[in-house]
Amino acid sequence: MINKNSPLPIYAQLEEQIREQIESGILGPGDTLPSEREFCERHGISRMTVRQAINNLAKAGYLRREKGRGTFVSERKMEQQLQGLTSFTEDMKARGRKPSSKLLHFEIVPAVESIAQTLSIPKHDPVYHIKRIRMADGEPMALETTHIPANLVPGLTPEIATGSIYNYLEEHLSIAIDYSNQVIESVTASETESHYLDIPSGSPILLMQRDTFLKDGTPVETVKSAYRADRYKFVTVIRR
């Protein structure tokens, strides 16, 4: 019940109650949340208070709103461990999900200066420019833009790019991937990202920049990935 004498604000108490019901499984993914009016009548609180609690939970990814339909419990976020370098395909298969990619763009282009510097190649050297929607069980998870040196990775085709490029490098070219440098930040989705990820414009996303290297330190790819923040979270173990 709501304790109106508690120093904790009423909206925060309601928010915590709903969050606990979701995390305990009382409310499952896809379940419909009671209406604002029902919460008001049940607890004797204002609609503005209820709305603030629901807005906070929606921003945190626990709930999703569908215009004209109501408010629903979101699907659980998938955790990606930051220990170990895995491809999207490997990661989804390990979760029992079916990975797939929708190829939006595939072209060999001259490297612009910033890409050339990142890949340690001369400016205007040929690079693959690949843009893909990475999906799990048919649902868009990330919008990915990749640049790979064409002279280092011969024979890459659009058909290969719809699957695992890492598998092609390691199994067909015997190119040993060793490590990557990765930066993750929270940003709001652009109109393009919102369109391809099927999320409202301005939604929070996790933007990841990954530069991958071979055992001798040669850069083999640079990737920018926009992950849906309502479907993904990154987890790491930090030791003292």
Side-chain angles (χ1 to χ4, degrees):
M1 297 296 294
I2 297 296
N3 180 2
K4 296 182 179 179
N5 295 319
S6 171
L8 188 65
I10 293 175
Y11 77 85
Q13 294 182 53
L14 180 60
E15 183 181 334
E16 183 62 25
Q17 285 185 15
I18 298 172
R19 183 188 293 109
E20 287 179 355
Q21 290 179 357
I22 294 172
E23 292 179 345
S24 67
I26 295 174
L27 289 172
D31 284 352
T32 305
L33 204 68
S35 68
E36 292 180 0
R37 180 178 178 180
E38 288 178 79
F39 278 118
C40 292
E41 293 176 350
R42 182 185 304 170
H43 298 292
I45 56 180
S46 71
R47 179 163 290 190
M48 184 177 295
T49 298
V50 175
R51 190 167 298 161
Q52 185 170 358
I54 292 175
N55 284 343
N56 289 348
L57 289 167
K59 288 178 182 178
Y62 286 93
L63 302 173
R64 72 176 192 277
R65 281 179 158 153
E66 295 185 14
K67 192 172 182 179
R69 295 193 61 212
T71 303
F72 302 86
V73 178
S74 298
E75 297 292 328
R76 294 187 183 278
K77 293 186 180 183
M78 290 188 293
E79 295 185 358
Q80 179 173 339
Q81 296 291 333
L82 294 180
Q83 294 83 24
L85 177 56
T86 59
S87 70
F88 180 88
T89 299
E90 293 167 335
D91 189 36
M92 290 301 105
K93 285 182 176 179
R95 299 172 190 277
R97 307 288 294 270
K98 182 180 178 182
S100 61
S101 298
K102 181 178 180 181
L103 189 63
L104 302 176
H105 185 85
F106 184 98
E107 186 180 9
I108 296 178
V109 299
V112 298
E113 186 170 354
S114 59
I115 297 296
Q117 287 181 353
T118 301
L119 295 175
S120 297
I121 59 175
K123 185 179 178 181
H124 302 313
D125 256 23
V127 294
Y128 297 101
H129 176 207
I130 304 167
K131 187 180 289 288
R132 303 180 287 179
I133 302 175
R134 312 308 302 271
M135 296 182 288
D137 296 334
E139 182 181 22
M141 292 291 166
L143 178 63
E144 185 178 276
T145 302
T146 305
H147 289 90
I148 297 173
N151 292 335
L152 179 63
V153 182
L156 193 56
T157 65
E159 290 72 27
I160 294 170
T162 60
S164 173
I165 294 176
Y166 278 17
N167 181 72
Y168 176 72
L169 293 175
E170 296 175 326
E171 300 297 326
H172 296 271
L173 299 181
S174 298
I175 292 177
I177 299 170
D178 188 43
Y179 68 98
S180 71
N181 292 330
Q182 196 163 265
V183 176
I184 303 170
E185 58 182 321
S186 175
V187 299
T188 55
S190 66
E191 289 187 12
T192 298
E193 291 161 340
S194 299
H195 171 73
Y196 286 121
L197 294 176
D198 193 25
I199 56 177
S201 181
S203 295
I205 58 173
L206 297 169
L207 186 64
M208 183 182 74
Q209 176 72 44
R210 174 192 282 184
D211 300 328
T212 306
F213 301 84
L214 306 182
K215 289 189 176 181
D216 63 1
T218 301
V220 69
E221 71 167 356
T222 180
V223 183
K224 185 174 82 169
S225 301
Y227 282 87
R228 289 179 56 165
D230 64 338
R231 290 290 183 270
Y232 245 86
K233 59 182 176 181
F234 295 91
V235 180
T236 187
V237 175
I238 300 175
R239 301 187 187 280
R240 184 171 175 82

